Amino acid sequence: MAEVLVVTSKVKKFIKESGGCNTSAETIAVLSEAVEKLCRKGIENAKADGRKTVMARDITTDHI
């Protein structure tokens, strides 16, 4: 598994409180992968725009 990029306890708490459901370990891995993809796209967009700073506008959620 890749590095965890989400706060596991916060995700589990949110899912439990919002829907009364438990959270599998695989869920955390999938969420971390999604965050990594969003970050990579943000980096790509910032560099394409000639910046070294990733801004909110660089993070696109069109494919989510």
Side-chain angles (χ1 to χ4, degrees), residues 5-43:
L5 298 177
V6 297
V7 180
T8 302
S9 61
K10 299 260 185 193
V11 171
K12 287 183 173 190
K13 181 180 178 186
F14 176 79
I15 290 173
K16 179 64 98 176
E17 290 179 354
S18 296
C21 297
N22 294 322
T23 306
S24 71
E26 293 85 8
T27 300
I28 301 304
V30 169
L31 285 172
S32 286
E33 287 175 23
V35 169
E36 181 178 338
K37 287 178 184 177
L38 287 169
C39 289
R40 289 190 187 282
K41 184 63 176 170
I43 293 165

Side-chain angles (χ1 to χ4, degrees), residues 37-55:
K37 287 178 184 177
L38 287 169
C39 289
R40 289 190 187 282
K41 184 63 176 170
I43 293 165
E44 179 182 308
N45 289 340
K47 285 185 174 184
D49 206 26
R51 291 180 280 108
K52 291 186 176 183
T53 301
V54 175
M55 302 174 85

